Amino acid sequence: MSQVLTLRDIVSRDEFRISVLDGHRGLDRRVDSVHYADVVDPTSILGEGALIVTSGSQLTGSEQEQREYVERLAEAGVVGLGFGLGPAHDAVPAALVEAAEERDLPLFVLPRSAPFVALSKFVHEASVAARFERDMILLRAHKTLTAAAVRNDGHRSLVDRLAQLIGGTIALYDRAGEFLIGAPVGAPRYSVEIASHISRLRSGKLPGAMSFEADGTQFLLQSIGSAKTLNGFLLGGVPRPISTTDKVTIGVAASLLTVSLGSSNAGAQLEKRIAKAVWAMLRGGQIQAARETAAAMQIPLPLEPLELVMIVGNASDRAEVANSLTRDPAERVLAVESGDRLLVLCSAGSDMETRLQDAIRAFRGITAGYSDPCGYRDLDDAFTQARVALDHAVHRKVGAERFGAIGARGLSELLDRERAQTWARSRLAPVIEHDASHRGDLLRSLRAWLAHNGQWDPAANALQIHRHTLRQRMTRVENLLEISLDSMTNRAELWLALTMMPEQPDPEA
């Protein structure tokens, strides 16, 4: 027997000779009890998962009365209506059929000779057997989750086992709604929709739970903690309707997490504050004090040479990267939040660096900037390098950038292309306007002259003009721009402006 008795289990039994008229989509609803009731309003005696069977003797009046009868049953949460043919009705009233169809209430017919006693006995015995099986499953789940909860791996075992038990996905959040860990890979993490549900659940009566659907997945969001203390949230998702077993199993996990997450929340916040203090001391040059503090708090600092990585992205992605690197307390890594950025200090060329790179690649919304290898006394410079590399990565729309690689790409790569081109057109506007109105060639001549380091003969040969003509053109450029081309600063500025204007090709050298 399945752990849940459904309408489908009942109507499929040959001995009952049941014919389904409407509500085929609701045949998988759970049945906990069956009630024979020939009264106009039986809702006061009904509990959850109730199935009503009637002879219809109370429904011999108007069609409106029959419709109101179905409305009352649907509003009370009745899972189905069985109509027995007999002295009162030779057929199911049409108004009853129409009302059941409108309310999506499963409606089935029992023949005159239907064994009502056998049906009642079957439902009772099957319900008891289903409850027993459900209780056994929950008992095993409780033992499994309890064993997982006592492992010292930051709730990872508990979350993994819970995902396996419900056959779906699990995500664990702290009390602020920040994603902590999830299972399996690709589990739901942090989205605007989930954030809104967390906000609604937090503002209601605690402890509490709520269910919702998103992208074809049914979710159950459960608060962790008591009415006085909120410790976090547990989100479970399954590709099917959420069962009572799912709800109880997730509830068991939430109970186990209440104590451990409450203490770990406080411990985690303390560890974060200490890590930030150690980082502040290191960047401020108080290296010995930072080492003593880290040693006292059992924070293993990375070995030189070091590498500082600055990471941006949404809060949940940053938290996941940090958690993946610091899960093992023995790892030599320092990860601290600095505003909307995550700073990670690790040993250059180490396994930790490789793991960090893998973690960054795993999240498309993450962008990182790497400093050059450095020592503890160079961390302030490393911070600047990581920030520049990060800004460069954001500008180029790439996942990561290393400071040492920026110089090889040229100064123009550091600039915002659109803004740089606007500046270039503005800086060269007098020359551009002159060429347009006089059919001149000053801009091309300036490019050639600068490309040949101000050498008159090579530049004139490239342009196929006389060097005196080129001199006249450069004098005209100086007058239009009101500058001296003898200045290296002016030459560099004009060359940068020219490189920002791709519509003007370089002349041949």
Side-chain angles (χ1 to χ4, degrees):
M1 171 64 65
S2 168
Q3 57 178 298
V4 176
L5 175 66
T6 67
L7 279 174
R8 192 179 303 278
D9 297 326
I10 296 173
V11 302
S12 62
R13 304 282 294 193
D14 294 336
E15 65 265 33
F16 300 140
R17 303 189 300 279
I18 292 174
S19 299
V20 180
L21 295 183
D22 276 312
H24 288 81
R25 290 181 300 179
L27 291 181
D28 290 321
R29 294 175 181 173
R30 190 185 85 223
V31 177
D32 289 330
S33 61
V34 59
H35 301 268
Y36 295 93
D38 286 341
V39 295
V40 175
D41 185 3
T43 57
S44 61
I45 63 173
L46 304 181
E48 185 179 0
L51 170 64
I52 290 292
V53 176
T54 181
S55 67
S57 60
Q58 78 280 24
L59 302 174
T60 57
S62 67
E63 292 184 355
Q64 182 61 29
E65 290 177 345
Q66 294 170 2
R67 289 181 177 277
E68 290 175 353
Y69 175 76
V70 172
E71 287 291 329
R72 281 191 290 273
L73 297 185
E75 289 296 327
V78 169
V79 297
L81 172 62
F83 198 91
L85 302 181
H89 296 276
D90 291 329
V92 182
L96 201 73
V97 176
E98 292 175 1
E101 183 178 5
E102 291 172 1
R103 292 305 304 260
D104 201 21
L105 178 69
L107 173 63
F108 57 88
V109 181
L110 294 97
R112 292 175 181 268
S113 58
F116 293 108
V117 175
L119 174 60
S120 178
K121 182 179 179 182
F122 170 77
V123 172
H124 174 71
E125 292 178 350
S127 297
V128 170
R131 281 195 295 270
F132 177 77
E133 183 175 351
R134 195 160 59 239
D135 289 344
M136 292 303 297
I137 290 175
L138 293 177
L139 178 61
R140 290 193 293 269
H142 190 281
K143 290 182 177 180
T144 299
L145 293 175
T146 301
V150 298
R151 296 188 60 180
N152 186 26
D153 58 1
H155 313 303
R156 167 54 62 186
S157 294
L158 177 61
V159 169
D160 287 343
R161 291 297 292 151
L162 180 57
Q164 294 171 9
L165 287 171
I166 69 170
T169 57
I170 292 295
L172 178 63
Y173 302 87
D174 66 15
R175 59 189 170 194
E178 295 289 342
F179 176 81
L180 297 176
I181 52 176
V185 175
R189 298 208 323 240
Y190 196 96
S191 69
V192 174
E193 183 177 13
I194 293 176
S196 67
H197 288 300
I198 287 178
S199 179
R200 285 173 54 199
L201 188 58
R202 182 189 289 113
S203 62
K205 184 179 180 180
L206 295 175
M210 64 185 303
S211 58
F212 59 94
E213 187 271 340
D215 298 327
T217 299
Q218 300 295 323
F219 290 102
L220 177 67
L221 182 64
Q222 170 82 50
S223 68
I224 300 172
S226 63
K228 294 182 178 180
T229 305
L230 176 64
N231 295 328
F233 300 90
L234 190 60
L235 179 70
V238 291
R240 51 174 168 73
I242 295 175
S243 67
T244 300
T245 301
D246 294 331
K247 294 178 182 178
V248 177
T249 303
I250 292 174
V252 169
S255 298
L256 292 170
L257 286 166
T258 294
V259 176
S260 60
L261 193 59
S263 59
S264 65
N265 274 336
Q269 293 301 319
L270 178 59
E271 289 176 1
K272 288 180 180 179
R273 289 197 296 269
I274 293 173
K276 280 188 176 182
V278 170
W279 163 251
M281 286 186 282
L282 288 174
R283 189 180 173 192
Q286 299 175 287
I287 299 172
Q288 187 58 35
R291 284 175 171 162
E292 291 174 356
T293 302
M297 301 307 300
Q298 298 183 338
I299 300 176
L301 294 177
L303 303 176
E304 297 177 306
L306 307 169
E307 190 168 56
L308 181 64
V309 186
M310 187 177 293
I311 298 171
V312 294
N314 63 55
S316 62
D317 285 348
R318 297 199 312 267
E320 179 71 355
V321 171
N323 288 337
S324 67
L325 299 176
T326 59
R327 189 168 294 141
D328 185 349
E331 292 286 6
R332 288 187 172 274
V333 62
L334 185 66
V336 299
E337 286 282 346
S338 178
D340 61 349
R341 302 183 176 194
L342 174 67
L343 301 177
V344 178
L345 185 65
C346 62
S347 298
S350 64
D351 291 340
M352 176 56 68
E353 182 188 0
T354 302
R355 284 175 50 193
L356 174 59
Q357 293 171 358
D358 291 341
I360 290 172
R361 282 192 292 267
F363 299 98
R364 293 184 178 181
I366 282 288
T367 306
Y370 291 75
S371 74
D372 285 340
C374 65
Y376 276 108
R377 298 195 177 281
D378 309 314
L379 283 180
D380 197 45
D381 289 339
F383 182 88
T384 301
Q385 292 178 359
R387 186 187 63 219
V388 170
L390 175 61
D391 292 344
H392 192 55
V394 171
H395 168 65
R396 295 183 61 228
K397 297 180 180 179
V398 295
E401 183 64 276
R402 292 183 176 276
F403 180 79
I406 296 175
R409 295 193 178 94
L411 179 62
S412 62
E413 283 289 325
L414 292 173
L415 305 177
D416 182 283
R417 198 73 182 177
E418 184 176 352
R419 295 178 62 183
Q421 288 182 350
T422 300
W423 166 79
R425 285 191 293 269
S426 174
R427 186 69 184 90
L428 298 170
V431 178
I432 296 172
E433 293 170 1
H434 179 275
D435 282 352
S437 60
H438 295 81
R439 295 183 179 179
D441 207 6
L442 294 183
L443 203 63
R444 182 167 176 268
S445 300
L446 175 61
R447 181 183 287 267
W449 184 70
L450 291 174
H452 289 86
N453 300 314
Q455 298 181 63
W456 299 103
D457 287 339
N461 290 336
L463 293 166
Q464 297 182 344
I465 61 175
H466 197 276
R467 66 177 181 275
H468 294 311
T469 302
L470 180 58
R471 287 181 181 274
Q472 292 172 1
R473 291 179 179 179
M474 293 303 97
T475 298
R476 185 62 178 159
V477 168
E478 287 181 315
N479 293 334
L480 288 170
L481 298 179
E482 299 180 352
I483 62 171
S484 171
L485 290 178
D486 291 334
S487 167
M488 182 56 67
T489 300
N490 290 337
R491 290 188 188 187
E493 185 180 84
L494 293 179
W495 180 251
L496 179 60
L498 288 167
T499 60
M500 293 294 103
M501 301 184 63
E503 68 273 12
Q504 296 292 329
D506 287 329
E508 294 181 1

